Amino acid sequence: MGSCVLRRVNHWRTTMVHFDMLCDECRSRFTPDPMRYGCDCGSALDFAAPAPPIAVEELASRPANMWRYHEALRIARPEDAVTMGEGMTPLIRADRSDHDLRLKLDFTFPTGSYKDRGAAVLISALREMGADAVVEDSSGNAGAAIAAYAARAGMRCVIYTPSGTSPAKLDQIRVFGAELRLVEGDRQATTEAVLEAAETTPYASHNWTPYFITGVKTVAFEIAEQLGWRAPDNVVAPAGFGSILLGLHLGFSELRRHGITDTTPRLLAAQAERCCPIHVAWRAGADVVDRFVDPRPTLAEGIASTRPIRARQVLDAIRHTEGAVATVTEDEIADGVRALAREGIYVEPTSAVVVSAFDRLVEQGVIRDGDLTVSILTGSGLKASGKVPA
Ligand SMILES: [Zn+2]
């Protein structure tokens, strides 16, 4: 073996140590393995070691996409990442509020949702580990994102989704060449159906593996950079499984730990009143999130999760940042779509929960005069055409 190759292998081995995963519950530790998505005890995994800092001083010379932060993305060879140049989505001022409200346009990703942040990093990591096929379960957007990046990576892909998913999302998954398995029942039934497939094929789960949240944390890096390396006072985001809240918490915590920003924002979660397990647990002061007992169909299909896998971490993130949870009604969700449309912004109902949630949190005094608040707009309106009357 030539010394150059040897050096590269040693570098890879040294780097991979940073990718060891740790169970928060039972403290089991695992080396990276494409078949390993969770702990044997049933808990999700996180990386054992903190991520290295982003290279702030080098950003000026790098492309305006999320890979400018590659040092923190747990990918050994970022030059080989599976990417479409995604990220650095616009952060604009909202017209409709007297408050300083900014909108992060994360529906402008290649597949029309913020899930591309996680999919780009997760599929890059799985390919780096040698995977040539993936399975995934999704209410639609994560499935479309995984299907897109799997197509780009040349991987075989099977996506499980609830049978009631919006036709536009199903078409998108099919056109990317993924095999689609429709599951009767609620979102939880879909999650349970994929686990059998995950015994023989790598499970590209946006809820289990820490790679997905690692990609999503770039939304925090972008917001801070776009604000001149400052964290906002509040961030409002839709919460289903809570991956965007976990990504925000991870990203802003890393920026503060590395002395890049001075503060972290309060995390304000928005849920549909018809399916709001995190709200129930948060209001009760509970440590665990119980399965939501009586979910009803909601326009916000992307966050209709009755039992989020990382729910305790989501609650911890909200409490740790002195955040809050707000719920919105179906009428308010539809009003939210129309309110944003009046500013020229077309999002899907799942994204529009942040509009009425923001108003409610202002009424409740959670969002205060003089605060700088960022609302994350997560998915394109084209994903759910026909769902909201004009
Ligand atoms: Zn464990």
Side-chain angles (χ1 to χ4, degrees), residues 28-246:
S28 294
R29 198 176 169 119
F30 303 96
T31 51
D33 175 345
M35 293 305 296
R36 166 72 59 189
Y37 62 87
C39 182
D40 299 332
C41 79
S43 298
L45 298 172
D46 291 298
F47 290 107
I54 61 172
V56 173
E57 66 288 349
E58 292 182 27
L59 294 178
S61 62
R62 292 186 183 177
N65 65 53
M66 59 179 258
W67 292 95
R68 64 206 268 103
Y69 312 117
H70 67 79
E71 283 85 353
L73 297 186
R74 315 278 186 173
I75 299 294
R77 297 182 303 276
E79 63 277 17
D80 296 334
V82 183
T83 176
M84 294 185 249
E86 57 284 309
M88 201 46 92
T89 58
L91 181 71
I92 64 170
R93 280 178 197 276
D95 293 336
R96 58 180 285 276
S97 179
D98 296 333
H99 286 77
D100 189 355
L101 172 61
R102 318 284 175 100
L103 305 173
K104 181 67 170 160
L105 308 189
D106 256 26
F107 62 92
T108 62
F109 270 92
T111 75
S113 94
Y114 83 97
K115 303 266 168 133
D116 291 359
R117 291 188 189 277
V121 170
L122 174 55
I123 294 294
S124 294
L126 286 171
R127 189 168 73 170
E128 210 161 68
M129 288 184 249
D132 62 2
V134 289
V135 294
E136 156 75 323
D137 60 307
S138 162
S139 62
N141 286 341
I146 293 291
Y149 285 83
R152 196 159 178 80
M155 288 183 187
R156 198 162 51 78
C157 179
V158 183
I159 305 286
Y160 290 70
T161 75
S163 53
T165 299
S166 284
K169 296 179 187 176
L170 298 180
D171 285 350
Q172 196 180 11
I173 292 168
R174 276 196 204 98
V175 170
F176 284 131
E179 191 182 321
L180 195 58
R181 301 266 169 88
L182 297 178
V183 181
E184 294 299 325
D186 65 6
R187 178 68 181 82
Q188 189 63 30
T190 305
T191 300
E192 285 158 16
V194 78
L195 292 179
E196 199 181 323
E199 287 173 16
T200 52
T201 307
Y203 182 16
S205 171
H206 59 294
N207 298 308
W208 284 99
T209 97
Y211 283 106
F212 194 90
I213 295 161
T214 293
V216 174
K217 77 181 177 185
T218 56
V219 70
F221 298 163
E222 289 179 20
I223 291 168
E225 185 175 358
Q226 287 167 320
L227 293 174
W229 297 115
R230 169 188 173 196
D233 298 299
N234 314 298
V235 181
V236 187
F241 276 84
S243 62
I244 195 150
L245 290 166
L246 293 174

Side-chain angles (χ1 to χ4, degrees), residues 306-343:
T306 53
R307 192 168 56 184
I309 289 161
R310 292 180 182 266
R312 191 186 45 76
Q313 291 183 341
V314 176
L315 269 184
D316 285 351
I318 293 165
R319 292 213 175 99
H320 180 73
T321 62
E322 298 175 3
V325 187
T327 60
V328 299
T329 66
E330 295 302 293
D331 284 348
E332 287 172 331
I333 294 170
D335 287 347
V337 172
R338 290 186 283 258
L340 287 166
R342 283 194 290 276
E343 292 186 50

